[in-house]
Amino acid sequence: MAEEANQTRQARPANKRGVARLAAVQALYQMDIGGTGLLETTTEYEHFRLGHEIDGAQYREVDAAWFRAILSGVVSNQKTIDPIINRALPEDWPLSRVDSTLRAILRAGTFELAHRPDVPTAVIVSEYVDVASAFYDEQEPGLVNGALDRVARHLRQTPDRPGT
C-alpha cells in the first residue's frame, strides 16, 4: 500500500530556495559525519556541487546566498537551536538519538523558524517535510512536520495562533 502511494505521489519541483534547503541539509549532514568545518564545506558545495554535474546528475540552480545563510546560521546558533528541538521531540527520543540526516533537517528548519520571520511558517514546515520525504519513506516526514510545528508554536506568535 505504501509503495503504491509513493508511486502515485509526485514531488513538487523545487525552487531555488528549496534546492538551497536540500543542499544545506546535505552539507550539515556531511559536517556532522565527516567533521568538516563550515568554510571547507561551503567552499566545496559552491565550487563543486551547486549547479554542477556530478556522476551524470545535474544539480539544479540554487539560491547560493540562502544556502550559505542556512549553513552558517545553523552552525552559529546550534547551541540555542538544539534545546528548542529537544523540547519539540518526544521526551524519550532526544535529538541525540535522532539520525544525522534527520538532525540536519530539524536544525535547518528550526534555524529558519527562529531567524527568518520573513518566511511564512507553513512554507518552512512544508519545505522541510519535502526534504525529509526525499530521504525517508516511513514516519520521519511526519516527525519533521510535528516537531517543526511545535517549534513554530513555541517561537512564532501570530494573532490567530499565539506562541507558548
Side-chain angles (χ1 to χ4, degrees):
M1 182 72 86
E3 189 173 60
E4 290 173 6
N6 284 337
Q7 289 174 352
T8 59
R9 178 179 52 178
Q10 297 205 345
R12 296 180 304 205
N15 59 31
K16 289 181 183 181
R17 283 188 177 177
V19 175
R21 288 177 174 105
L22 176 61
V25 166
Q26 291 172 322
L28 289 167
Y29 169 84
Q30 180 177 325
M31 291 169 65
D32 192 26
I33 296 300
T36 56
L38 176 63
L39 182 58
E40 177 185 353
T41 303
T42 304
T43 301
E44 175 189 339
Y45 271 74
E46 289 185 346
H47 287 97
F48 303 109
R49 294 181 185 254
L50 303 178
H52 295 280
E53 182 179 326
I54 300 176
D55 297 328
Q58 179 67 39
Y59 276 56
R60 296 194 56 180
E61 195 174 340
V62 65
D63 183 335
W66 200 261
F67 167 78
R68 283 189 303 275
I70 295 169
L71 206 55
S72 63
V74 168
V75 170
S76 63
N77 292 285
Q78 188 172 329
K79 287 182 181 180
T80 57
I81 289 171
D82 284 0
I84 294 168
I85 298 168
N86 265 323
R87 285 192 297 272
L89 291 171
E91 219 173 276
D92 61 338
W93 205 269
L95 187 60
S96 60
R97 267 185 85 182
V98 172
D99 80 42
S100 295
T101 303
L102 201 53
R103 197 166 40 242
I105 294 167
L106 292 170
R107 284 175 173 157
T110 300
F111 165 74
E112 283 200 54
L113 288 167
H115 297 278
R116 294 306 309 235
D118 56 314
V119 181
T121 299
V123 170
I124 295 170
V125 174
S126 175
E127 290 273 334
Y128 284 104
V129 168
D130 286 349
V131 170
S133 295
F135 293 103
Y136 302 101
D137 290 331
E138 300 291 321
Q139 302 168 348
E140 290 85 353
L143 177 96
V144 168
N145 185 51
L148 291 181
D149 186 59
R150 285 187 288 282
V151 167
R153 280 187 271 131
H154 173 74
L155 294 176
R156 293 184 168 202
Q157 293 185 5
T158 60
D160 59 324
R161 195 165 98 174
T164 55

